[in-house]
Amino acid sequence: MALTPVRPAPGPGFIAGVVTSTWLDTASPAGHVAWLLMAHPSPRRPGETAQGIEDQILGIADALGLRTASRRLTVIGDRLSVRGPRLVLDYGHPRFALRVPNPSPRWLDHILHGGYVCLALGLDPVPPGAGPDAIEAYLRRSFTRDRVFVGVTGVRADSAPRPALPHS
């Protein structure tokens, strides 16, 4: 039986271009659910291709142990932590982490006091600066086509709660 090759998690050059969005779903039957979406815009740098971007995204999915949305949701361990004034996601790279930019105070409060985060990693491109309606349409399309990987994570116990984290 051949093993499926595991793609490495991409480095900071790729991660710097990742689009993130956070929101708190307060209408979920499961109670409040914090979401973190990660995706990448269409190719825009010299040498970038749609397939190359997808391979890098799949490297993150592999490193985190995420599953496609059509499969059972999996817990991937506590991957969020507070580093100084920043909230970061350990996305599986041995030396780098993703800074979670500008989460709302309610989102932060929820997760810093034990709430979980549903991490959604989209394979299809998302435009930078997409608003809530565009993100909702993106997720609907991606979930329907099974082009999103998901997993549940939380804040590492040694870094929570820290309600004084700035909300910049």
Side-chain angles (χ1 to χ4, degrees):
M1 176 165 88
L3 294 176
T4 304
V6 175
R7 299 164 190 89
F14 179 81
I15 290 300
V18 168
V19 175
T20 61
S21 183
T22 57
W23 67 97
L24 187 62
D25 181 356
T26 58
S28 168
H32 291 165
V33 177
W35 284 86
L36 170 58
L37 169 66
M38 295 172 58
H40 205 280
S42 297
R44 63 190 193 285
R45 297 179 187 161
E48 259 186 347
T49 65
Q51 186 59 55
I53 289 171
E54 185 168 316
D55 288 344
Q56 300 265 18
I57 294 285
L58 289 169
I60 297 169
D62 287 349
L64 291 173
L66 301 176
R67 296 180 182 167
T68 58
S70 64
R71 296 180 60 203
R72 186 177 177 161
L73 193 60
T74 186
V75 175
I76 61 170
D78 292 338
R79 295 291 193 140
L80 292 161
S81 61
V82 177
R83 290 191 188 167
R86 307 272 187 242
L87 180 67
V88 297
L89 172 71
D90 170 0
Y91 69 92
H93 192 280
R95 295 187 358 206
F96 301 103
L98 169 80
R99 180 177 164 253
V100 179
N102 305 319
S104 75
R106 287 184 68 205
W107 191 92
L108 274 173
D109 187 60
H110 175 74
I111 68 151
L112 290 176
H113 290 94
Y116 291 100
V117 175
C118 187
L119 175 62
L121 184 63
L123 291 177
D124 294 327
V126 66
D133 292 340
I135 295 294
E136 187 175 330
Y138 173 86
L139 285 171
R140 235 186 341 271
R141 236 181 2 263
S142 296
F143 273 88
T144 299
R145 295 175 45 219
D146 212 23
R147 300 275 298 160
V148 66
F149 286 75
V150 293
V152 175
T153 189
V155 176
R156 292 185 175 141
D158 61 350
S159 68
R162 291 206 186 164
L165 189 71
H167 305 302
S168 61

